[in-house]
Each structure stands twice: as C-alpha cells, then as structure tokens.
Amino acid sequence: MAALPTYRFCADTVTLVGAAFLVVTAMAFSATVAGWLGFAVSAAIVLICASAAIVDGTRGARAIHSMMVVVGLWSVIAALTFNGSALTWLVFANALGLGALALVDLIAHEVTTERVVHELDVKIGEREMREPPRQREPA
C-alpha cells in the first residue's frame, strides 16, 4: 500500500505551481490582468498555507508556512493598491518569493523523509546481519 502525501507536501506543491503560474502571467499579460490574477492566486495561497501552518505539527514547517502567508497577504495588498509597471514587477517578485519559500520547504520535507527511510533501511539491515540465518526444518 502506497503512503499518501502529507498536507505539507500538497500545500507546498500547489504553492510552487501557483507561483510559477504568476511568474509567467506577470510577464505575459497586461498589468491589470496580472494584478487580478495575482490577487486571486495569492488569496488562494494564503488560505492553503494558513491551513497548512495550523495543521502541521513541526515548528520549522509552521514558520515557513507563516512566512508564505505574510508574503501572500502582501501580494494581495499590492495587487489591490498598485497599478502599471509597479504592479507587474510586484506580482513577479512576490511570485518568486512564494516559489522560493515553497521550494525550500519541499526540500526540507524531502530531506527529512529521505533521512527516515535511510535510517529504517540501515537499522533493518544491521538487525538482519546480527541474527543468524534460520534453518528450515525438513518436511
């Protein structure tokens, strides 16, 4: 049975995809369209990361998700306040910031998961080496 991905992994992946979408839209569309897309995607990211910060039990993940909430809130405020080329560059920069934070948390998540799997593998291997092989009884 395969293990289900954690909410932290899902939230970080959605944030990374949303940030990549905003990076592209900030440069591809007009400032008005980029601003409204920045508002919508950032509001969704704020909700997802806020719930991830509440659900997750580790202190580091809560801290990074809280930073993502702050950057996302700033993105929402910037999208409603600024216009023109300033808005385009703010959407672009905020998306890069959200993407960087999501990538850092994804890397931290995978490193801790890999470490646990490696430790389990080594411990099980050591135990198998210490135990003598079992002899089969003749049938």
Side-chain angles (χ1 to χ4, degrees), residues 45-85:
I45 288 173
V46 165
L47 293 175
I48 291 168
C49 290
S51 63
I54 292 169
V55 170
D56 200 355
T58 61
R59 193 177 307 175
R62 281 187 181 181
I64 287 187
H65 285 120
S66 298
M67 285 188 272
M68 285 188 223
V69 168
V70 170
V71 173
L73 285 174
W74 165 246
S75 298
V76 168
I77 292 169
L80 296 175
T81 306
F82 294 96
N83 58 14
S85 67

Side-chain angles (χ1 to χ4, degrees), residues 19-62:
F21 174 74
L22 285 179
V23 164
V24 172
T25 58
M27 294 294 124
F29 297 118
S30 68
T32 305
V33 174
W36 283 111
L37 287 173
F39 171 77
V41 173
S42 296
I45 288 173
V46 165
L47 293 175
I48 291 168
C49 290
S51 63
I54 292 169
V55 170
D56 200 355
T58 61
R59 193 177 307 175
R62 281 187 181 181

Side-chain angles (χ1 to χ4, degrees), residues 8 29 35 50 60 76 81 87 98 117 124:
R8 174 183 177 187
F29 297 118
V76 168
T81 306
L87 178 60
L98 284 169
V117 170
I124 290 172

Side-chain angles (χ1 to χ4, degrees), residues 8-21:
R8 174 183 177 187
F9 178 79
C10 293
D12 290 338
T13 303
V14 168
T15 302
L16 188 60
V17 169
F21 174 74

